[in-house]
């Protein structure tokens, strides 16, 4: 079983490549709700999940940050509430100082201008000027989170970029990331050739595919590419 240590070059993997690899290998990968938005577009981040359920006060957040491994992603479950912000500049500055890679908030943030200055990548449902106004309940930190039903546990891995947030379990993670790297390499080479003037249809010998499909209407592009060693996720 994998640990929370990722392959050295995992940080370079886009979420789309990981998602394509998951489809190709049949490995389940969860996607966070599309309502989560990046506060700092163009700032991808990845790392082991450090999940916590917000209880209305900062102590559980500080405990989670204190215990998180270097490069972890803070995942805060505030139930998707729209009546309060559950993190602000102090908590996310603390997370950055602790060496965390980013944060995913199932709820709202505040101190938006300061968060942009801090520079820690954050996904959330948006901003709200008020912090929690409820009486903070007493309780032990719950080291799990749910992003609108998507469970996040400490042995999960978070992959986040402008396309969204993926939650990758610990099963077959090395295999998944290896396939994602392969897909990224192949498609990157294809894109480079396209920029040099060689069309994708030419690279895939698309005219040959159409000839074969005319003779065999059951032939799909995916199957054709698998048979010929091409790659593009369709």
């Amino acid at each position: 079983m994998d640990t929370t240590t990722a392959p050295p070059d995992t940080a370079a993997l886009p979420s789309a490549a990981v998602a394509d690899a998951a489809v190709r290998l049949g490995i389940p990968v969860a996607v966070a709700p599309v309502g989560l938005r990046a506060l700092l577009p163009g700032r991808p981040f990845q790392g082991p999940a450090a999940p916590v359920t917000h209880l209305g006060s900062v102590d559980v957040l500080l405990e989670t940050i204190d215990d998180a491994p270097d490069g972890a992603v803070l995942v805060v479950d505030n139930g998707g509430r729209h009546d309060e912000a559950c993190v602000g500049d102090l908590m996310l500055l603390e997370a950055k100082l602790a060496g965390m890679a980013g944060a995913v908030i199932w709820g709202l943030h505040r101190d938006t201008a300061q968060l942009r200055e801090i520079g820690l990548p954050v996904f959330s449902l948006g901003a709200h000027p008020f912090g929690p106004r409820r009486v903070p309940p007493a309780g032990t930190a719950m080291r799990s989170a749910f992003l609108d039903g998507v469970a996040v546990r400490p042995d999960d891995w978070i992959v986040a970029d402008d396309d969204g947030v993926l939650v990758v379990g610990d099963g077959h993670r090395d295999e998944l990331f290896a396939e994602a790297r392969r897909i990224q390499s192949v498609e990157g080479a294809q894109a480079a050739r396209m920029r040099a003037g060689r069309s994708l249809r030419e690279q895939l010998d698309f005219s040959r595919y159409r000839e074969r499909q005319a003779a065999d209407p059951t032939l799909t592009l995916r199957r054709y590419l698998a048979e010929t060693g091409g790659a593009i996720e369709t």
Side-chain angles (χ1 to χ4, degrees):
M1 179 178 293
D2 296 344
T3 66
T4 53
T5 300
D9 55 352
T10 297
L13 289 175
S15 63
V18 176
D20 287 344
V23 171
R24 178 162 292 189
L25 298 176
I27 296 174
V29 169
V31 59
V34 297
L36 288 169
R37 291 287 184 265
L39 177 63
L40 300 174
R43 295 285 305 278
F45 59 94
Q46 306 184 22
V52 62
T53 297
H54 184 57
L55 300 176
S57 61
V58 300
D59 51 349
V60 295
L61 301 182
L62 289 171
E63 289 177 24
T64 303
I65 293 170
D66 194 42
D67 294 339
D70 189 55
V73 175
L74 180 65
V75 181
V76 181
D77 177 2
N78 200 36
R81 294 177 65 131
H82 284 81
D83 62 340
E84 65 179 33
C86 63
V87 297
D89 58 343
L90 295 182
M91 282 304 101
L92 292 181
L93 181 55
E94 186 72 10
K96 181 179 181 179
L97 292 174
M100 303 191 86
V104 177
I105 314 300
W106 184 236
L108 304 174
H109 69 268
R110 65 176 179 173
D111 305 320
T112 301
Q114 291 87 344
L115 296 188
R116 290 197 176 104
E117 292 177 0
I118 291 167
L120 185 74
V122 178
F123 273 77
S124 80
L125 291 174
H128 196 285
F130 278 103
R133 287 169 285 178
R134 47 194 162 127
V135 176
T140 303
M142 297 171 58
R143 298 302 176 86
S144 63
F146 286 88
L147 308 175
D148 196 25
V150 176
V152 183
R153 299 177 178 85
D155 57 354
D156 290 331
W157 194 271
I158 303 297
V159 178
D161 59 23
D162 288 352
D163 285 333
V165 178
L166 296 178
V167 181
V168 182
D170 62 351
H172 306 288
R173 194 152 60 209
D174 288 341
E175 181 184 3
L176 177 71
F177 290 152
E179 178 65 8
R181 284 194 295 273
R182 187 196 68 79
I183 291 172
Q184 183 186 27
S185 176
V186 170
E187 293 193 349
Q190 287 175 327
R193 289 191 290 268
M194 291 174 73
R195 293 186 184 98
R198 188 180 179 196
S199 74
L200 184 61
R201 286 169 296 156
E202 182 182 358
Q203 292 182 54
L204 300 180
D205 197 0
F206 195 68
S207 60
R208 174 61 177 156
Y209 161 69
R210 297 197 69 180
E211 290 175 4
R212 288 186 53 186
Q213 192 192 46
D216 177 11
T218 67
L219 179 67
T220 64
L221 181 58
R222 186 186 296 275
R223 195 180 97 205
Y224 170 75
L225 293 177
E227 293 173 356
T228 59
I232 182 173
E233 301 311 306
T234 57

